[in-house]
Amino acid sequence: MAGSSAHLLRYGDTEPVGEGYRGLGEIRWLVCRPPDFPWNDAEPAGDALAAASHQQLDAWRVRRRSADGGLPAPGVYGVPEQWPHVRGIYERAGFTYDGQHTEVVLLVRVEELPRAGEPPIPGLALRRSLGINGTRFSAHLGDLRVGYIEVENLADAGRVARHDGWADIGNLHILEDYQRRGVATWLFALVADWLRMANVDRLLEYALSTADAELALFRKLGFVELTRTDRGFTAHR
């Protein structure tokens, strides 16, 4: 259809599917040429594809419907602000954005991150382990874990072609009593040293648009904003 394509998913109705996904039909992604390309049938083709997607979801008898833009590429998910034509297709197809989940996608060159120095708190020590979303770098005071960062080398994921040199942050958490004391900056420096040894030169990070403290930290560390993307498009039929 004139340069348009979509990928649909249908989740099961019973365990072991998580409750939040049971009975869900999802347009995982829909791509379409923008209307100012030299093909005047781009938007009608996108609308026709969205209608066909609804027909398939009808045939699957899904209980709920959602739409996203999760392409198999780093940092591309939700409906980014650069895709107003896709947002329009979703909205004309009956999907609405709940207005509650906008994320900021950020990028930094690893060489611009600080070098690891002395711990910001006496006695603070690093422990490295397997995390939920990659390698976990934890800051410990004795047996107390005061914070951690998890980082994944995207070249190891086996699903993204030609992205050697890219990594992303999967989790970042610092105990409230230890925030704004340099712990996060120290952990990022240790992560950066680790990534340099692996020849990784670009690091992605993500934050809610309402997370002012996190965004201020990331910008201080040298991260630049790539895009803002909305998640939570649903339809009721």
Side-chain angles (χ1 to χ4, degrees):
M1 287 187 181
S4 59
S5 184
H7 178 49
L8 308 184
L9 296 177
R10 202 285 190 207
Y11 295 88
D13 294 303
T14 59
E15 294 183 355
V17 178
E19 186 173 347
Y21 286 90
R22 288 179 198 166
L24 176 68
E26 179 186 33
I27 303 178
R28 171 57 59 90
W29 51 258
L30 184 151
V31 293
C32 178
R33 290 178 174 131
D36 54 353
F37 269 48
W39 296 277
N40 59 13
D41 60 346
E43 278 194 308
D47 290 337
L49 181 60
S53 297
H54 270 309
Q55 291 174 1
Q56 181 59 60
L57 297 178
D58 288 339
W60 283 339
R61 298 182 181 180
V62 301
R63 297 193 309 233
R64 297 174 295 121
R65 300 168 191 236
S66 68
D68 199 83
L71 293 177
V76 185
Y77 61 93
V79 180
E81 58 190 355
Q82 292 85 1
W83 292 9
H85 60 298
V86 173
R87 186 185 188 113
I89 290 168
Y90 280 158
E91 289 175 345
R92 290 191 295 274
F95 290 94
T96 58
Y97 169 54
D98 62 17
Q100 299 180 6
H101 200 106
T102 298
E103 292 188 11
V104 184
V105 183
L106 304 110
L107 178 71
V108 68
R109 292 185 181 276
V110 173
E111 65 185 21
E112 297 175 3
L113 289 170
R115 298 278 176 170
E118 292 297 318
I121 302 171
L124 196 66
L126 172 69
R127 297 183 189 176
R128 194 173 65 247
S129 60
L130 178 64
I132 298 172
N133 293 304
T135 303
R136 177 177 292 181
F137 294 75
S138 301
H140 282 256
L141 280 174
D143 292 332
L144 177 65
R145 186 179 69 193
V146 303
Y148 65 88
I149 293 177
E150 292 181 353
V151 60
E152 180 181 13
N153 184 344
L154 296 178
D156 293 338
R159 64 180 182 275
V160 180
R162 303 173 72 175
H163 277 96
D164 289 351
W166 288 74
D168 73 358
I169 299 296
N171 282 307
L172 167 62
H173 178 70
I174 308 295
L175 294 180
E176 185 173 356
D177 290 344
Y178 292 88
Q179 294 177 9
R180 298 178 178 85
R181 297 177 64 180
V183 176
T185 299
W186 182 66
L187 285 172
F188 266 104
L190 292 166
V191 166
D193 285 351
W194 179 262
L195 293 176
R196 291 184 190 106
M197 289 192 295
N199 291 320
V200 173
D201 58 12
R202 282 157 291 183
L203 180 63
L204 286 162
E205 176 61 287
Y206 318 91
L208 292 174
S209 61
T210 54
D212 295 336
E214 279 194 359
L215 287 170
L217 168 66
F218 300 149
R219 287 167 180 149
K220 180 181 177 181
L221 289 169
F223 284 88
V224 296
E225 182 174 320
L226 293 182
T227 188
R228 297 194 173 211
T229 187
D230 292 335
R231 309 189 78 179
F233 284 81
T234 58
H236 303 281
R237 288 168 66 101

